[in-house]
Amino acid sequence: MAIPEHLEATVRNLPALPGCYLFYDSRGEVIYVGKAVNLRSRVRSYFNPHTWAFNPKTARLVKEIARIEFVVRGSELEALIQEAELIKKHRPRYNIRLKDDKRYPYLKVTWQDDFPTVTVTRRIERDGARYYGPYSSAKAVYATRDALRKMFPFLNCDRVITGHDARACLYYDIKLCSGPCIGAISRAEYRANIQRLCDFLEGKSEQVIADVRARMERASSAYQFEKAAEYRDQLKALEHVVEKQRIVSSAGTDQDVIAFARDEGETCVQVLFIRGGKLLGQEYFVLDGAEGEDDQSVLDAFIKRFYDEAAYVPPEVLLPTMVEEANIIENWLKQKRGTAVKIRAPQAGADASLVELARQNAQEQLATLKAQWREDSVRQEAVLKELQEALDLPRLPARIECYDISNTQGAAIVGSLVVFVHGVPKKSDYRRFNIRDIAGPNDFESLRQMLRRRFQRWQDAHGGNPGQGDGAQPQDARPLVPLASPSPGLRQRDDASWALLPDLVIIDGGKGQLGVAVEVLREFELAHIVPVASLAKQKEEIFRPGRADPILLPRNAQSFFLVQRIRDEAHRFGITGHRRQREKIGLASQLDALAGVGPARRKKLLTTFGSIEAIRAASVEELAKVVPRPVAEAIKEGLGG
């Protein structure tokens, strides 16, 4: 047993009890979370060299373990629940996880409201609403919402429904809202319509169709032909959708069918949602960290991740092979569902055919995704090569950092840093900087402070040696590994990000901003290593150090679109942070911060318009009736109306 000396005492003193264990690396990051019936036995198994030959991933993991912590639980079921919570909290890179480890979108029916509506959310809460999903993409969930809206028109606004409004909104005119605001439908009728929507999502399509047909016939018998026509249109839309639903089970049960495909280290899981014996829908999920793991481990990890936040757990889950912890997972799912849940791996018959269908779909989906990834990779490399040549860069700009300053007349100044890697945003590396101790709107000094703080953290990550970067290092020499003990001011979770140098820095601005960036890079002896460019807004001109004339990329070039997208993303990210800062400062003080607005004018504006939101919504012409036009324009720009 090859247990490292610094871990030997910890492993020796682990209790032989159920619980969870956490492996940390030298930077203090949790790199793996697991659970065990016997903590001592399970953790010791990682240090057996005989297992490393069969699982290289475990060998890599063991080499990085610097510290071990554990949590004792009362039972294996409690340990499973704790494991799910810890993985969600720490997102360890050695655990199998859903791609990007993001929250997937759900449809939310706000049943707790008098007049429920249907929204999209990524968070399930105990608020009385009904949730349906998850969906693998926002595009899929919004497409479903749009289809439901045509069949079951529902509200799209947050107005207080009295039934006495003078007129309805546009959605009522185009038959996407039933108009409760003007009394076109009663509360009871509206809620009955939303109940039919929920029943449809739950697979009770025959009941919904029968109900709508009965309502149509009653309306026709009562000579309510306009209402009957509405039900007729709803019926046609329902029947059109139901035609696409396949009857796959004569038992008429609710099942989730899970299978997966693997190829060259990539894993795609397909889930078929069968409700009432009908194939109601299907979603695919891509996994990270599954390379080198056996099939049982992949299924085990996916089931835990997927059902941890699932809106609905069916009474039966079908798998291509049984998982080792089937009994404990069944008990966990029973707690979530409220009644028994059975996990099966059918070997023959109709259920086995369903598992095979899910496997085939997963295989086809993975092939499609890989072809798309290859195409995207080739296209992005070509775009980056084009940009490299246009800007005369020493190497391919694989990592691009873009900086922007957002403020309102010098108030709530926020600097933003966005990062694109191989032409794709890497949001985990985005950062905001709250700019301090600068009086008034001074973009140059704000930019200087932001860049100094960013590259100071790079320097700190390398032991405070500004000469570390001397001599241009090609991109393939990175990522640079930060020291185990960075400076106290550097948060450990940011070490790896700050330690990387960009292949290109883009500044939102003109020659002045470019000069500031060059000065800061010189301070850190990076001017000859990190290329920098600035992008002027009006003519989309790109300035580079040492060039008098700007560079104009062809307006139809993909490199031009990439630079625009990066700059716009930096602006969007910065504005979001800036608005949050303004909210903290307070709405009234926002007015005070605007040029030309003092206490008297602030009082006059609030007296005239009644609220800051009304001032924000007012046009320049309306504001100019209260204050001079230049001040009105400053207010409009400053408040973002």
Side-chain angles (χ1 to χ4, degrees):
M1 189 66 65
I3 301 176
E5 185 177 347
H6 67 285
L7 298 174
E8 191 172 356
T10 303
V11 175
R12 186 173 60 249
N13 291 305
L14 284 169
L17 297 170
C20 295
Y21 53 92
L22 299 88
F23 294 157
Y24 290 79
D25 64 9
S26 60
R27 294 174 296 181
E29 293 181 354
V30 177
I31 56 175
Y32 187 79
V33 171
K35 74 162 189 63
V37 180
N38 184 318
L39 284 167
R40 182 189 305 160
S41 175
R42 182 70 184 97
V43 172
R44 284 177 63 86
S45 70
Y46 283 91
F47 299 96
N48 188 339
H50 296 293
T51 65
W52 299 347
F54 300 101
N55 195 331
K57 180 181 174 182
T58 300
R60 294 195 304 271
L61 168 63
V62 169
K63 289 179 181 178
E64 292 193 45
I65 300 174
R67 179 164 58 91
I68 299 173
E69 288 186 359
F70 65 91
V71 180
V72 174
R73 306 304 300 175
S75 67
E76 191 177 1
L77 177 58
E78 289 182 20
L80 184 147
I81 296 170
Q82 178 83 63
E83 178 194 34
E85 293 174 353
L86 289 170
I87 291 174
K88 190 189 309 181
K89 177 181 178 181
H90 295 289
R91 295 177 289 177
R93 65 179 182 274
Y94 276 98
N95 283 93
I96 299 174
R97 58 199 181 279
L98 299 178
K99 191 78 171 179
D100 300 327
D101 211 19
K102 65 183 180 182
R103 290 181 179 271
Y104 285 88
Y106 295 81
L107 281 174
K108 176 180 180 179
V109 180
T110 59
W111 190 252
Q112 72 276 25
D113 297 338
D114 276 352
F115 292 88
T117 189
V118 182
T119 63
V120 175
T121 183
R122 292 183 184 270
R123 184 180 298 276
I124 295 179
E125 299 174 305
R126 295 184 177 181
D127 53 3
R130 300 177 181 179
Y131 295 86
Y132 301 91
Y135 295 83
S136 59
S137 69
K139 181 179 179 181
V141 73
Y142 280 108
T144 302
R145 183 175 181 261
D146 291 343
L148 288 169
R149 180 168 222 141
K150 294 175 182 177
M151 295 184 286
F152 310 97
F154 53 80
L155 285 166
N156 193 57
C157 57
D158 54 2
R159 68 173 72 182
V160 177
I161 305 301
T162 64
H164 304 297
D165 288 9
R167 59 165 297 161
C169 65
L170 174 64
Y171 287 95
Y172 175 74
D173 295 332
I174 59 177
K175 298 184 178 181
L176 294 180
C177 178
S178 50
C181 57
I182 59 171
I185 186 173
S186 68
R187 176 182 178 277
E189 290 173 319
Y190 181 86
R191 291 184 69 86
N193 187 55
I194 300 300
Q195 180 61 59
R196 288 194 291 275
L197 181 152
C198 294
D199 290 341
F200 186 79
L201 283 171
E202 293 164 10
K204 304 170 185 175
S205 51
E206 288 88 352
Q207 298 176 25
V208 175
I209 287 174
D211 181 43
V212 173
R213 181 176 283 113
R215 288 170 181 269
M216 179 184 69
E217 291 171 354
R218 285 198 301 270
S220 179
S221 299
Y223 303 106
Q224 297 174 341
F225 298 117
E226 188 173 341
K227 178 63 71 175
E230 290 178 6
Y231 286 130
R232 178 202 61 202
D233 294 342
Q234 190 178 32
L235 191 60
K236 286 181 179 178
L238 282 165
E239 289 173 340
H240 177 71
V241 173
V242 170
E243 283 175 6
K244 301 178 182 178
Q245 297 177 352
R246 295 169 47 190
I247 298 176
V248 294
S249 173
S250 58
T253 57
D254 287 3
Q255 299 169 313
D256 282 352
V257 183
I258 301 173
F260 62 92
R262 311 174 81 173
D263 186 28
E264 297 178 349
E266 301 290 350
T267 303
C268 177
V269 181
Q270 189 84 21
V271 184
L272 306 182
F273 302 105
I274 298 170
R275 302 294 181 262
K278 288 186 177 181
L279 180 56
L280 207 63
Q282 54 185 311
E283 292 290 337
Y284 72 87
F285 302 87
V286 180
L287 300 185
D288 275 338
E291 186 175 3
E293 299 284 359
D294 59 39
D295 291 354
Q296 283 196 352
S297 298
V298 170
L299 283 172
D300 180 272
F302 175 76
I303 291 170
K304 293 174 185 176
R305 302 295 91 75
F306 180 74
Y307 288 111
D308 183 42
E309 294 187 3
Y312 174 74
V313 178
E316 194 167 60
V317 178
L318 303 183
L319 304 176
T321 183
M322 285 300 288
V323 292
E324 185 178 345
E325 300 179 324
N327 289 336
I328 191 68
I329 292 176
E330 284 179 342
N331 289 334
W332 174 57
L333 294 178
K334 179 181 178 180
Q335 282 192 358
K336 297 180 73 68
R337 175 178 170 79
T339 59
V341 176
K342 183 67 177 175
I343 295 177
R344 294 196 297 115
Q347 301 302 309
D351 286 344
S353 298
L354 287 175
V355 174
E356 176 60 18
L357 175 64
R359 188 196 65 78
Q360 291 175 0
N361 285 357
Q363 204 165 30
E364 292 174 6
Q365 185 63 57
L366 182 57
T368 301
L369 287 170
K370 290 192 70 176
Q372 178 185 321
W373 293 336
R374 282 193 294 269
E375 182 182 339
D376 289 347
S377 177
V378 170
R379 185 167 59 247
Q380 290 295 350
E381 290 297 312
V383 173
L384 293 173
K385 184 68 177 176
E386 184 181 285
L387 184 62
Q388 178 187 4
E389 293 173 357
L391 302 187
D392 191 24
L393 302 175
R395 57 185 174 272
L396 199 73
R399 182 183 177 90
I400 300 175
E401 295 184 359
C402 185
Y403 296 83
D404 183 37
I405 297 293
S406 301
N407 69 87
T408 302
Q409 299 294 318
I413 308 173
V414 173
S416 62
L417 158 62
V418 301
V419 179
F420 277 59
V421 176
H422 293 289
V424 178
K426 188 176 182 183
K427 296 191 175 182
S428 61
D429 286 2
Y430 285 17
R431 297 290 182 267
R432 291 192 181 98
F433 300 79
N434 293 324
I435 306 302
R436 313 181 188 99
D437 305 323
I438 292 180
N442 191 329
D443 283 359
F444 292 158
E445 289 307 310
S446 300
L447 177 63
R448 189 187 307 277
Q449 182 181 130
M450 174 169 59
L451 290 172
R452 278 176 173 166
R453 286 162 62 183
R454 186 270 181 263
F455 289 107
Q456 181 63 52
R457 291 184 179 186
W458 166 80
Q459 189 179 94
D460 289 346
H462 293 281
N465 178 11
Q468 171 130 357
D470 287 353
Q473 300 180 37
Q475 182 63 31
D476 58 8
R478 301 182 191 128
L480 303 174
V481 180
L483 301 182
S485 301
S487 71
L490 187 61
R491 294 178 295 176
Q492 286 188 335
R493 71 176 181 85
D494 292 341
D495 292 356
S497 171
W498 295 125
L500 295 172
L501 285 178
D503 299 300
L504 174 64
V505 166
I506 296 178
I507 306 297
D508 185 14
K511 286 186 176 181
Q513 283 86 351
L514 178 64
V516 170
V518 170
E519 289 174 13
V520 173
L521 289 171
R522 283 176 181 159
E523 290 177 21
F524 290 88
E525 301 180 25
L526 292 173
H528 62 298
I529 297 175
V530 177
V532 61
S534 65
L535 178 62
K537 285 188 176 71
Q538 290 185 340
K539 297 182 180 180
E540 304 289 2
E541 297 173 323
I542 298 178
F543 295 96
R544 290 274 283 128
R547 289 188 57 150
D549 297 326
I551 299 169
L552 289 173
L553 296 175
R555 291 308 185 252
N556 60 349
Q558 290 300 315
S559 56
F560 173 70
F561 297 139
L562 174 62
V563 170
Q564 269 193 328
R565 187 162 71 251
I566 294 172
R567 189 269 316 278
D568 292 345
E569 176 69 355
H571 184 64
R572 179 203 65 78
F573 186 63
I575 283 292
T576 303
H578 169 58
R579 285 175 178 161
R580 289 176 183 170
Q581 282 293 92
R582 288 194 318 193
E583 289 171 3
K584 290 179 182 178
I585 292 172
L587 295 173
S589 61
Q590 286 180 43
L591 287 174
D592 288 339
L594 299 176
V597 179
R601 282 180 177 164
R602 182 186 69 184
K603 183 177 180 181
K604 190 175 182 182
L605 285 163
L606 290 172
T607 301
T608 303
F609 293 98
S611 71
I612 198 79
E613 292 302 322
I615 297 172
R616 180 180 283 118
S619 66
V620 172
E621 287 71 25
E622 291 171 329
L623 292 169
K625 294 177 182 178
V626 182
V627 295
R629 189 173 185 86
V631 177
E633 292 173 348
I635 292 171
K636 194 66 179 172
E637 180 182 358
L639 293 182

